[in-house]
Amino acid sequence: MDWSTFGIKQTNSSRWGRVHGPFMMEELVCQNQNMMISKGIFKNSNPLKYATPLLFLQMSVIIITSRLIFRFLQPLKQGMISAQVLAGIVLGPSFLGHNKAYMDMFIPAGGKITIQTLSNVGFIIHLFILGLKIDASIIKKASSKAILIGTASYAFPFSLGHLTVFFINTTVGLHRDVFHCASTVIFLCSMTSFPVTTTVLAELNILNSELGRLATNCSMVCEACSWFVALAFNLYTRERTMKGVWGIVMIAGLIGIVGGIFRPLIIYLTERKSKSMNNKDLVPFFPVLLVLAIASISAEAMGLHAAFGAFWLGVSLPDGPPLGTELATKLELIASNMLLPCFIAISGLQTNFFEITKSHESHVVLIEVILLVTYGCKFLGTAAASAYCQTQIGDALCLAFLMCCQGIIEVYATVVMKDAQVVDTECFNLVIVTLLLVTGISRYLVVYLYDPSKRYKCRSKRTILNTRERNLQLRLLLCMYNVENVPSMVNLLEATYPTRFNPISFFTLHLVELKGRSHAVLTPHHHMNKLDPNTAQSTLIVNAFQRFEQKFQGTLMAQHFSAAAPFSSINNDVCTLALDKKATLIVIPFHKQYAIDGRVGQVNGPIRNINLNVLDAAPCSVAIFIDRGECKGRRSVLMTNTWQNVAVLFIGGRDDAEALALCMRMAENPELRVTMIHFRHKSSLQHEDYSEMAEYNLINDFKSHAAANKGKVHYIEEIVKDGVETTQAISALGDAYDMVFVGRDHDLKSSVLYGLTDWSECPELGVIGDMLTSPDFHFSVLIVHQQQGDIALAMDDDTYKLPVEHQKIGDTRIQPRFSAEEGFTTIDLDKS
């Protein structure tokens, strides 16, 4: 070819020029051979004129720039997608790219094609991951409330947006290109994709909140509406020939092949590899990639984007472990963290504000008006439908803002339409900028307006002390991460001594980190999917407690739950369940695990954050369980009484009183020896000073009980003068006790603690609790914290009141108020 005929330009590893295409002038790019890898600067070879070094430079600059922008946007609660689009705008022709020398060096025509190709591969894999995390069956579980709100969220902007275009066209008159662009813009603005919504909810730590579950279901319904409208529009606009019919048939055939052939094949290969390697977590990684490539090629062959086949292949596969979790873990590092930022940044690189000419300013204004009207109708339609469904006004507004949030799916749709020349550059610029502004403002307002903990941050807090004073039923919520937490939790339950006239209600909650799926789950155990590997571990936990129930039949009732959510927000599930089940005490494991020799074996930082969040907002008392069952070899026998000696360390304060109230119940256990060690300063011997009368009465009750049960219940006073002597007295406990109870907070001005408050490794445990985490101690510890409320317990607790009369020896009557139905109302997880 004679390049001199149309202005040859050679930059980097490619040649390009403008030629006459079938419809308009187009760019023709020819890649030079042997220009992949540079020979080095020492041989006078510029690396940026070669494809591979240039590609690495482009990826590095895009990723670093997007990370820097994200760091600045973090205080405004913006997402990484917004930062990546802004990085593209900054690096593109709107800002730095306005300099021609920079553009020829950083993004030449040939280099742009290379990074576009590679980033499209990353986007295809990322869309496969998004589809993999979707459980399509949740749309069947969507309530009528979610269906109404989701439908209104799409119907209002779509219909009213078109009415606005019709009105403007009738009154003012729209240019043909503007009219065509407006229809596309309305379709884009009306969308709310399920993957984008769940991503936003997870980033804002409200995925498993009440609002988050409602928004998840509504977005699924809204996305289904957009698919139906797109299909109907496609059928309407296609040529009335057999080619149009065959196009629809081929799309349906592709989905059928994905669900009927590819899905069973991948599941079969997964099961086969798991059995051959005797490991359930192994997946056939490379065969899955091969099937993914075939599905993408099939979509391209049918005239669709390759991402269409990849997405529906992901949707067809089961979410969660092992398949969803393992594939997402392996693919996200490269596809989502390295290649996807380049794909999103390219959308910003394609924006060019300088192409908006004065002659088209009126067109720009009209398109922007249509954009804002459509977003406004979407907001008002969602809020109105939510209010009609009797949603609180604050939650309705937040839901409307969430449904206006858009992300990678909408950016991808806009880029595809620009490449297909459905929208021009000016319209593309407006859509991208308006999307960023609307999403950014909506995210910030949701964070400002919505507090997921407001539901359980009630003025009255349930406490063990109040339960004891009002003769109410003890109700425990036991949180566990794995089966290793079970034995000590069972020992704790057994030590509380459930009887027919003093029964216990307890609820177990298996906490699972959300991996390989996009939506959070809080469900009773018997509703869990039997094919989910998490169900197997939950079943082991439930079976252990059911054996314990059989041993104490008629004296306790239990209900078992599982929660799968991001660890950053799973505390919402803990507090919500505690509120709904009217729990008195939440027991959560300590974030450190101890080995058999007493040393710290494993430290889990996310679990510590969970404990801090629960302590901050729980609707009842909270206890952190430091489990050292392995240190004494007391974990092998599950259903026998392995605790013989229990002690409570009492210094003073509400938390110590709460711990003592729990031990008072254990003191009634005939097979358990309970000791109260009361630390007092010499000055307090002359005049006893207690912060509350309830604390004084509780100590006197324990003394009376100790006097009546000598040999089994003991009261010991330790007279100390400062923190040093307190530490020496606690260190002298040695191995005399299996379990020690202590309050979290004390009077820090007390002379008993003098010198101990200067340093603390785990402040959430308090001064004494932090001391007891030392490997020098070999007994388990329960640190109790009484939540502070403004008013007394609500009177609805009379439902759980116990009989006043004492149990007679040999009396086998069951407390009449304690039945299988009482207090065990199921959580309506499908109400949203």
Side-chain angles (χ1 to χ4, degrees):
M1 176 180 289
D2 185 9
W3 289 85
S4 62
T5 59
F6 59 95
I8 176 175
K9 295 185 180 180
Q10 179 176 352
T11 56
N12 299 341
S13 59
S14 62
R15 298 168 179 259
W16 67 276
R18 297 186 66 83
V19 298
H20 289 282
F23 303 106
M24 62 186 71
M25 293 294 293
E26 295 180 352
E27 286 187 356
L28 176 66
V29 180
C30 292
Q31 198 77 14
N32 293 333
Q33 292 183 350
N34 303 322
M35 294 286 288
M36 296 297 295
I37 301 177
S38 170
K39 297 178 182 179
I41 58 176
F42 297 105
K43 293 186 177 182
N44 297 324
S45 176
N46 185 358
L48 298 184
K49 291 187 177 293
Y50 292 81
T52 303
L54 179 62
L55 175 64
F56 289 151
L57 174 67
Q58 291 170 335
M59 293 176 61
S60 302
V61 171
I62 288 173
I63 292 174
I64 292 173
T65 305
S66 61
R67 292 284 178 178
L68 290 175
I69 294 176
F70 177 69
R71 182 62 62 89
F72 285 109
L73 293 179
Q74 266 188 321
L76 300 177
K77 306 300 180 183
Q78 302 304 300
M80 181 59 75
I81 301 295
S82 300
Q84 290 163 352
V85 174
L86 287 174
I89 294 176
V90 170
L91 297 173
S94 297
F95 285 90
L96 298 179
H98 196 53
N99 184 310
K100 188 175 183 301
Y102 159 81
M103 286 295 287
D104 291 340
M105 181 273 296
F106 182 67
I107 313 176
K112 184 177 180 181
I113 292 175
T114 304
I115 193 172
Q116 276 184 326
T117 303
L118 190 61
S119 63
N120 267 278
V121 174
F123 174 73
I124 291 170
I125 298 176
H126 179 74
L127 215 60
F128 168 71
I129 296 172
L130 291 182
L132 191 63
K133 294 180 178 181
I134 294 176
D135 180 9
S137 63
I138 66 172
I139 196 171
K140 301 178 183 178
K141 304 174 184 177
S143 62
S144 57
K145 176 180 179 180
I147 294 174
L148 176 61
I149 297 174
T151 305
S153 181
Y154 187 83
F156 268 70
F158 188 80
S159 58
L160 296 180
H162 280 92
L163 286 175
T164 303
V165 173
F166 178 77
F167 175 77
I168 296 176
N169 188 39
T170 304
T171 56
V172 180
L174 292 176
H175 190 272
R176 176 183 170 185
D177 294 337
V178 176
F179 184 84
H180 185 63
C181 181
S183 300
T184 305
V185 162
I186 292 171
F187 173 77
L188 292 172
C189 295
S190 302
M191 292 175 59
T192 299
S193 61
F194 174 81
V196 171
T197 302
T198 53
T199 301
V200 171
L201 293 171
E203 290 175 350
L204 299 182
N205 291 329
I206 55 175
L207 179 62
N208 56 333
S209 65
E210 188 176 4
L211 177 65
R213 289 192 170 90
L214 178 58
T216 298
N217 291 334
C218 292
S219 64
M220 177 67 83
V221 174
C222 187
E223 185 170 18
C225 292
S226 65
W227 279 100
F228 284 126
V229 171
L231 181 60
F233 183 77
N234 195 11
L235 285 171
Y236 178 76
T237 55
R238 278 183 179 271
E239 297 178 0
R240 272 62 169 180
T241 62
M242 286 303 296
K243 290 183 179 179
V245 176
W246 278 113
I248 302 300
V249 172
M250 292 177 70
I251 293 174
L254 174 62
I255 297 177
I257 292 172
V258 166
I261 298 178
F262 293 161
R263 181 182 188 275
L265 177 62
I266 292 176
I267 292 177
Y268 167 75
L269 293 175
T270 303
E271 293 176 350
R272 181 181 176 184
K273 185 167 185 177
S274 299
K275 291 179 181 179
S276 62
M277 303 298 292
N278 197 23
N279 189 341
K280 295 181 179 180
D281 294 333
L282 291 178
V283 297
F285 182 68
F286 291 106
V288 171
L289 289 183
L290 178 61
V291 175
L292 173 61
I294 295 173
S296 302
I297 294 172
S298 302
E300 287 282 350
M302 296 178 185
L304 302 169
H305 196 283
F308 180 86
F311 176 77
W312 283 105
L313 177 63
V315 172
S316 69
L317 297 177
D319 63 325
L323 192 60
T325 302
E326 292 299 316
L327 288 176
T329 302
K330 292 180 178 179
L331 293 174
E332 279 182 341
L333 180 62
I334 300 297
S336 302
N337 296 335
M338 289 187 62
L339 302 181
L340 184 66
C342 299
F343 177 85
I344 300 172
I346 287 173
S347 66
L349 287 167
Q350 293 181 2
T351 60
N352 189 355
F353 299 141
F354 294 99
E355 288 194 9
I356 301 177
T357 60
K358 292 184 178 180
S359 61
H360 289 168
E361 284 183 357
S362 60
H363 297 171
V364 171
V365 172
L366 289 174
I367 293 174
E368 185 62 28
V369 168
I370 294 170
L371 278 167
L372 296 177
V373 169
T374 306
Y375 276 117
C377 292
K378 187 175 184 66
F379 175 82
L380 294 176
T382 306
S386 303
Y388 176 79
C389 295
Q390 298 181 345
T391 304
Q392 293 184 0
I393 185 63
D395 291 352
L397 293 176
C398 290
L399 179 60
F401 283 124
L402 286 171
M403 297 299 285
C404 289
C405 291
Q406 296 182 323
I408 184 171
I409 303 297
E410 292 78 12
V411 171
Y412 154 70
T414 309
V415 171
V416 169
M417 290 183 179
K418 181 179 183 297
D419 293 340
Q421 298 180 355
V422 176
V423 297
D424 56 15
T425 302
E426 294 174 351
C427 184
F428 177 81
N429 293 342
L430 293 176
V431 171
I432 293 296
V433 172
T434 307
L435 183 149
L436 287 177
L437 290 175
V438 171
T439 302
I441 294 173
S442 298
R443 288 173 61 110
Y444 182 79
L445 290 176
V446 169
V447 173
Y448 179 77
L449 295 175
Y450 184 69
D451 181 10
S453 63
K454 66 181 180 181
R455 180 169 178 259
Y456 41 81
K457 279 187 175 179
C458 48
R459 295 178 63 195
S460 61
K461 305 287 185 177
R462 299 176 183 277
T463 66
I464 303 174
L465 193 60
N466 207 322
T467 299
R468 174 180 172 81
E469 291 174 350
R470 299 184 59 180
N471 196 32
L472 300 176
Q473 182 189 118
L474 181 64
R475 303 169 71 84
L476 305 177
L477 174 59
L478 309 178
C479 301
M480 285 153 285
Y481 297 97
N482 48 54
V483 293
E484 295 179 357
N485 302 137
V486 173
S488 294
M489 292 290 186
V490 171
N491 291 337
L492 176 64
L493 279 176
E494 191 169 4
T496 54
Y497 192 51
T499 63
R500 293 181 181 271
F501 273 78
N502 199 1
I504 291 177
S505 301
F506 75 93
F507 313 92
T508 65
L509 180 60
H510 182 206
L511 302 176
V512 182
E513 186 175 9
L514 186 67
K515 292 181 179 179
R517 55 165 56 100
S518 56
H519 65 284
V521 177
L522 173 60
T523 180
H525 173 72
H526 60 276
H527 288 168
M528 291 187 67
N529 183 4
K530 295 182 179 180
L531 299 178
D532 191 336
N534 291 327
T535 306
Q537 192 173 50
S538 297
T539 301
L540 293 176
I541 294 174
V542 171
N543 290 342
F545 282 101
Q546 286 178 344
R547 289 175 59 191
F548 177 73
E549 291 177 63
Q550 294 174 359
K551 183 177 180 181
F552 289 86
Q553 190 171 8
T555 64
L556 52 82
M557 290 294 292
Q559 204 170 14
H560 310 284
F561 294 87
S562 293
F567 272 1
S568 58
S569 61
I570 203 170
N571 57 287
N572 292 330
D573 289 331
V574 176
C575 296
T576 298
L577 189 61
L579 179 65
D580 289 346
K581 296 304 178 183
K582 297 180 173 60
T584 310
L585 177 68
I586 300 173
V587 182
I588 48 180
F590 189 45
H591 68 276
K592 295 182 180 179
Q593 294 182 0
Y594 291 84
I596 195 169
D597 59 354
R599 297 181 181 178
V600 177
Q602 183 178 358
V603 179
N604 195 320
I607 292 181
R608 182 182 186 184
N609 293 331
I610 295 173
N611 296 347
L612 290 171
N613 293 334
V614 172
L615 283 168
D616 180 59
C620 62
S621 296
V622 181
I624 299 179
F625 199 164
I626 302 177
D627 184 10
R628 290 195 180 97
E630 283 189 351
C631 300
K632 289 196 169 186
R634 298 185 181 275
R635 300 176 68 99
S636 58
V637 182
L638 181 61
M639 293 304 169
T640 58
N641 184 17
T642 57
W643 289 353
Q644 285 108 31
N645 295 285
V646 172
V648 54
L649 308 182
F650 192 94
I651 296 175
R654 292 184 176 183
D655 290 355
D656 279 346
E658 192 79 354
L660 181 57
L662 182 60
C663 284
M664 287 286 289
R665 182 185 178 103
M666 296 182 181
E668 300 174 3
N669 191 336
E671 299 179 359
L672 195 64
R673 290 187 291 274
V674 179
T675 303
M676 175 183 173
I677 304 176
H678 192 180
F679 292 90
R680 303 182 64 184
H681 193 258
K682 295 179 180 179
S683 60
S684 66
L685 297 178
Q686 304 297 329
H687 58 281
E688 296 185 354
D689 182 20
Y690 296 101
S691 58
E692 292 185 2
M693 196 65 186
E695 183 180 329
Y696 176 78
N697 294 333
L698 193 64
I699 295 174
N700 286 337
D701 288 346
F702 190 91
K703 289 180 179 179
S704 301
H705 194 69
N709 296 271
K710 293 183 178 179
K712 190 180 79 69
V713 182
H714 306 275
Y715 174 81
I716 300 175
E717 280 191 356
E718 287 284 351
I719 309 302
V720 295
K721 64 179 181 180
D722 54 21
V724 176
E725 293 190 359
T726 302
T727 303
Q728 293 173 350
I730 294 176
S731 301
L733 297 177
D735 296 334
Y737 301 100
D738 303 312
M739 182 73 183
V740 170
F741 295 80
V742 65
R744 174 197 177 200
D745 296 329
H746 317 278
D747 183 8
L748 298 182
K749 296 181 181 179
S750 173
S751 301
V752 174
L753 301 177
Y754 181 76
L756 298 181
T757 59
D758 298 334
W759 182 85
S760 180
E761 182 181 0
C762 300
E764 69 271 18
L765 302 181
V767 177
I768 303 300
D770 182 66
M771 181 195 308
L772 296 176
T773 61
S774 170
D776 298 334
F777 300 97
H778 294 86
F779 46 74
S780 298
V781 184
L782 192 74
I783 295 98
V784 183
H785 174 61
Q786 182 189 87
Q787 295 292 86
Q788 300 300 314
D790 298 331
I791 59 176
L793 272 174
M795 295 306 295
D796 64 346
D797 287 318
D798 290 339
T799 308
Y800 311 107
K801 208 153 194 173
L802 302 176
V804 179
E805 64 268 17
H806 298 287
Q807 178 183 0
K808 298 180 181 179
I809 298 177
D811 192 348
T812 59
R813 292 177 300 168
I814 299 179
Q815 200 272 106
R817 290 182 179 268
F818 189 71
S819 62
E821 292 79 15
E822 174 270 312
F824 290 93
T825 56
T826 59
I827 297 180
D828 185 8
L829 298 176
D830 295 330
K831 63 184 178 181
S832 58

